[in-house]
Amino acid sequence: MKINCIVVDDSSIQRLTITKLVTENPNLSLVGEFSNAIEAKNCITNKNVDLVFLDIEMPVISGFDLLDGLKAKPQVIFITSKTEYAVKAFDYAATDYLHKPITRERFNVAVKKAMNFVLLGKENSDEESPFIFIKSNLKKLKIYISRIKWIEAYGDYVKVITDEDNHLVLSTMKAFENELPKDKFIRVHKSFIVNIDKIDKFNSKFAEIGTNKIPLSRNKKEDLVKAIENA
């Protein structure tokens, strides 16, 4: 599992330093890097951003002002050259507070804290999330619906692809489709069922989930558009 993050700092040198640390950390996925809070806010509003590496002192709109203007706030790790903002930073429920210059060791400690928050949040949400049981490798497994990315036909089996793993289940596509909530999953091809919430983008030929392209039958695009609008 990776955390989607952005870097916000008006210093190009500092942005380069932080983005390098981000790209070298296997738990992070860089969505974007910005020199001002306005561009960063647009990204946070329109994309899936879990974590912000945020400078405090920026021209026009400060890091604190950026957070004040957000309805839904991602995790934030403040990055600053000054220590006097530390108390105020934690009023914003900051995950961590990094003082420039930043070492790789200290950076990775902060990222680990962010990972722990994400995992804790998943565990808490899973307690009330709907699930199904599947039989794979002679074992019964509890699979949370929200973690299923897609299901594909695989001979006499179906392959269930989740956020964490893949599972082969002896079943037909139709039988497995009947186990899934109709408002969350759609059959986009004779061999594929996708979780609507996991789709990043689509065109007339494919529905994309991350870097994976799921074939889209010609007559299914309109159904997919309606499903996404009603999701």
Side-chain angles (χ1 to χ4, degrees):
M1 182 187 67
K2 288 193 173 186
I3 299 177
N4 291 332
C5 67
I6 63 173
V7 177
V8 189
D9 197 312
D10 61 308
S11 167
S12 58
I13 294 175
Q14 291 297 333
R15 285 201 313 278
L16 182 62
T17 299
I18 301 304
T19 54
K20 186 174 187 295
L21 290 169
V22 168
T23 55
E24 291 175 349
N25 189 296
N27 295 313
L28 299 177
S29 176
L30 183 65
V31 175
E33 45 101 4
F34 306 97
S35 62
N36 63 76
I38 296 174
E39 292 178 350
K41 183 179 180 180
N42 289 336
C43 179
I44 294 170
T45 303
N46 296 307
K47 294 186 178 181
N48 180 23
V49 178
D50 306 307
L51 173 65
V52 181
F53 292 97
L54 182 61
D55 186 21
I56 295 175
E57 290 188 332
M58 294 185 292
V60 184
I61 301 175
S62 72
F64 292 132
D65 293 335
L66 168 61
L67 296 178
D68 288 336
L70 295 175
K71 292 182 179 179
K73 295 179 176 61
Q75 284 194 74
V76 59
I77 294 176
F78 285 109
I79 298 173
T80 180
S81 58
K82 298 183 179 180
T83 59
E84 59 261 35
Y85 295 115
V87 174
K88 186 176 181 180
F90 284 98
D91 288 340
Y92 284 81
T95 300
D96 210 337
Y97 187 94
L98 299 180
H99 187 255
K100 301 174 183 177
I102 301 164
T103 65
R104 177 177 280 100
E105 292 74 17
R106 183 66 183 86
F107 179 85
N108 288 339
V109 167
V111 172
K112 187 174 182 179
K113 289 181 181 179
M115 286 291 297
N116 288 337
F117 275 117
V118 171
L119 292 173
L120 180 61
K122 281 186 175 291
E123 289 174 2
N124 291 338
S125 62
D126 281 346
E127 290 178 0
E128 299 179 359
S129 295
F131 59 86
I132 59 174
F133 280 101
I134 64 172
K135 190 172 183 180
S136 180
N137 292 328
L138 303 178
K139 296 180 181 178
K140 276 196 172 183
L141 303 175
K142 184 178 183 180
I143 303 294
Y144 289 100
I145 298 292
S146 62
R147 295 193 180 185
I148 298 175
K149 292 182 176 181
W150 74 86
I151 299 95
E152 63 182 86
Y154 203 78
D156 292 333
Y157 294 79
V158 297
K159 183 187 286 187
V160 183
I161 290 83
T162 70
D163 290 334
E164 297 85 12
D165 210 344
N166 302 334
H167 306 280
L168 280 179
V169 181
L170 183 59
S171 173
T172 64
M173 290 288 282
K174 183 64 176 177
F176 202 90
E177 185 178 12
N178 291 336
E179 296 290 319
L180 301 169
K182 299 293 187 292
D183 61 331
K184 291 296 181 184
F185 290 83
I186 181 172
R187 186 89 168 259
V188 295
H189 184 277
K190 65 179 182 179
S191 299
F192 290 89
I193 302 168
V194 297
N195 185 338
I196 297 167
D197 292 337
K198 300 292 186 181
I199 296 174
D200 296 308
K201 55 185 177 180
F202 66 93
N203 55 33
S204 59
K205 294 183 178 180
F206 299 101
E208 296 186 29
I209 299 178
T211 58
N212 300 281
K213 291 186 176 182
I214 311 298
L216 183 61
S217 294
R218 184 179 302 174
N219 62 341
K220 287 294 184 179
K221 182 181 178 181
E222 187 175 339
D223 293 342
L224 180 58
V225 171
K226 290 179 181 178
I228 290 174
E229 289 176 346
N230 296 325

